[in-house]
Amino acid sequence: MTTPSDDAARPVPVRVVLPADPVLGHPEQEVVARLWRRRQTATGWMYLVGLPSYRDLEDGGVEAAEYRVWVRAPEHVRPVDGVDYDQFPTEPLPSAPPKSVVREVLGERRPSGWVLAKVREGRGPACGVLHAPDCEEAPEGAPLLDVQRALDVADNPGTRLCTLCGCAQELTPMLRGFDHIGDS
């Protein structure tokens, strides 16, 4: 709870819609409150309103006070007839941070890790193909392997590395060394 002197802004009246209380049988109600701030967010507008209230004093007395709370607009607030809200200070949604030059050149990062598509052809040991998680050939719902586990799986003679998604180009140098790149 706050007192009116807590803010330097000049509040304006606004109607606040209080929720219905089915337990007590109270319908939705509107009370006049004070609008202190309004802010645009990614999900819509929020208004900081001061609702009239009371507070207990240390000497046992009671005094008028204000309870401030953020509410969604327009769901929980209504204008008061004759009040001009056009001049009221408003905090618009901050502009998105500029994209980094690296992101613009390289594009979005692919998900980290690898997934194994198990392939069983007849009898014998199971075979598989290792893919990047965003590869169109990758199985949905397959567990994500970290780099060490992916290298262990890739070292198995029955495992192939997908060339479509670049898994082979990423893991082969780690498996066989960077000198191996120039051999082919």
Side-chain angles (χ1 to χ4, degrees):
M1 281 189 243
T2 60
T3 58
S5 62
D6 289 347
D7 238 300
R10 283 230 178 240
V12 294
V14 67
R15 293 191 180 280
V16 176
V17 180
L18 300 178
D21 187 341
V23 175
L24 297 175
H26 290 226
E28 190 175 85
Q29 300 175 32
E30 285 187 9
V31 297
V32 176
R34 299 197 293 176
L35 174 60
W36 287 97
R37 293 169 63 190
R38 58 185 177 179
R39 173 184 298 155
Q40 186 180 20
T41 68
T43 59
W45 285 93
M46 299 293 291
Y47 283 31
L48 179 63
V49 297
L51 297 166
S53 184
Y54 293 98
R55 76 166 145 218
D56 295 328
L57 298 174
E58 289 183 21
D59 66 3
V62 176
E63 73 176 356
E66 182 177 76
Y67 177 75
R68 290 191 189 170
V69 62
W70 286 97
V71 294
R72 294 207 169 283
E75 298 95 323
H76 302 121
V77 291
R78 308 275 186 271
V80 171
D81 291 337
V83 176
D84 180 18
Y85 296 97
D86 291 338
Q87 301 306 314
F88 192 79
T90 301
E91 299 172 31
L93 185 65
S95 59
K99 270 189 151 183
S100 78
V101 176
V102 173
R103 281 283 165 258
E104 285 186 37
V105 172
L106 298 179
E108 293 301 314
R109 291 183 66 179
R110 73 175 341 158
S112 62
W114 291 269
V115 293
L116 179 64
K118 294 180 181 176
V119 180
R120 182 170 286 269
E121 298 171 2
R123 296 181 182 210
C127 299
V129 180
L130 209 52
H131 299 277
D134 60 347
C135 179
E136 60 187 47
E137 300 291 322
E140 287 188 37
L144 197 60
L145 306 175
D146 65 14
V147 68
Q148 189 55 55
R149 182 71 183 116
L151 289 171
D152 291 343
V153 170
D155 206 26
N156 179 339
T159 302
R160 293 187 322 264
L161 304 179
C162 180
T163 55
L164 180 67
C165 64
C167 181
Q169 291 84 346
E170 291 177 31
L171 293 180
T172 300
M174 289 188 266
L175 283 170
R176 305 208 177 22
F178 290 95
D179 294 335
H180 178 68
I181 295 173
D183 294 345
S184 52

